[in-house]
Amino acid sequence: MNHLQNLNPAQYEAVTAPAGPVLVLAGPGSGKTRVLTQRVAYLIRDMNIRPYQILAVTFTNKAANEMRSRVEDLLGETVGGSLWIGTFHSICGRILRREAEHLPVNNNFVIMDADDQLSIIKRILKELNIDDKVYRPQSVHSEISNAKNNLLLPKNMPRGDYRTEVIARVYEKYQEALVQSNAVDFDDMLLYTDQLLQNHPEIRESYGKRFEMILVDEFQDTNAAQYQLLRKLASVNHSIFAVGDEDQSIYRWRGADYRNVLQFEKDFPGCKKILLEQNYRSTQNILDAARAVIDNNRNRTPKALFSDRGR
């Protein structure tokens, strides 16, 4: 069966786009998951790209498992672990364990959960005689997390006033404690991988050559660290297929920056931009009402969502 015949014209254009940078702006209910899975299957079946040469990044394990299952259904065969599908953190964890000789921890490192991270922060505040009523552990940890997601090491932290001095000092001690325990936190997985690719050009080139195609879902919810990782991994083949929508960015509170969608066009000149505007979920009245509100947003690509479901 030719699965491509079930796609609408815009979806077909996206799935069959030639190698190179592609930005797919997918409105709500426009079938972006179908496009992503069909794209992976098309790369393997029609473009003869090996599964191990494809990297597909999602934001949840559930989405990654669903994508893998759908791809295998389309291909009629299992792809196993050769196809790199996973969250940013799981992909980074896989790279870090393979390249641990370049890290301050070994490849048996443990990943601290949120409670463990907070316990370390509390202990350090106590050791440094810092009032945890003024510098609440959760708040301090949040500021350290934000720094890591902006790729800032303790030595690079801004120190313009007493509070920032304290945060930088705690951050430094916190990192020392993690390394002594042969541990990383979730943010380290992104930070260490970015440093690895930045400081070791040969490793960056190795992974850049390996991944002939990189696909990323929910691109509008990437933060600074995640976007820089994608740029480095795509630095050799420049074949990155990003699916997102500025209008659907909901994770600003944890560092997501919808402006990465706009930056993509600058960093990958000549990228092919495709709009998925047909909505399969709502009636036209709902789409028109939503558009009347959303069109007031700045820094976005206008999309004319339409539906065949009537008014």
Side-chain angles (χ1 to χ4, degrees), residues 207-219:
Y207 284 97
K209 286 181 177 178
R210 177 194 181 112
F211 297 127
E212 291 197 18
M213 180 61 69
I214 298 170
L215 303 95
V216 56
D217 191 12
E218 306 291 6
F219 183 62

Side-chain angles (χ1 to χ4, degrees), residues 21 33 65 68 73 85 131 170 182 184 194 206:
T33 303
N65 292 334
R68 183 183 298 277
D73 286 344
I85 293 182
D131 188 350
V170 175
N182 194 42
V184 301
D194 182 81
S206 173

Side-chain angles (χ1 to χ4, degrees), residues 135 139-141 143-144 157 162-172:
Y135 294 90
S139 176
V140 172
H141 180 265
E143 292 190 52
I144 292 172
M157 286 282 286
Y162 183 70
R163 180 175 181 83
T164 54
E165 286 279 355
V166 169
I167 299 298
R169 181 65 176 144
V170 175
Y171 180 6
E172 186 176 13

Side-chain angles (χ1 to χ4, degrees), residues 40 44 48-56 79-85 94 98 206-207 209-213:
V40 176
I44 296 171
N48 297 317
I49 295 179
R50 302 291 186 185
Y52 68 83
Q53 296 173 311
I54 298 172
L55 170 64
V79 292
S82 61
L83 177 60
W84 284 47
I85 293 182
R94 192 169 174 177
R98 291 163 61 111
S206 173
Y207 284 97
K209 286 181 177 178
R210 177 194 181 112
F211 297 127
E212 291 197 18
M213 180 61 69

Side-chain angles (χ1 to χ4, degrees), residues 165-219:
E165 286 279 355
V166 169
I167 299 298
R169 181 65 176 144
V170 175
Y171 180 6
E172 186 176 13
K173 290 288 188 183
Y174 174 68
Q175 285 304 99
E176 290 173 1
L178 288 176
V179 171
Q180 287 171 4
S181 299
N182 194 42
V184 301
D185 64 17
F186 297 114
D187 301 315
D188 281 332
M189 299 173 80
L190 302 177
L191 179 63
Y192 280 162
T193 307
D194 182 81
Q195 285 186 300
L196 181 73
L197 299 177
Q198 178 67 36
N199 299 332
H200 299 275
E202 73 285 0
I203 295 177
R204 182 173 68 245
E205 185 174 0
S206 173
Y207 284 97
K209 286 181 177 178
R210 177 194 181 112
F211 297 127
E212 291 197 18
M213 180 61 69
I214 298 170
L215 303 95
V216 56
D217 191 12
E218 306 291 6
F219 183 62

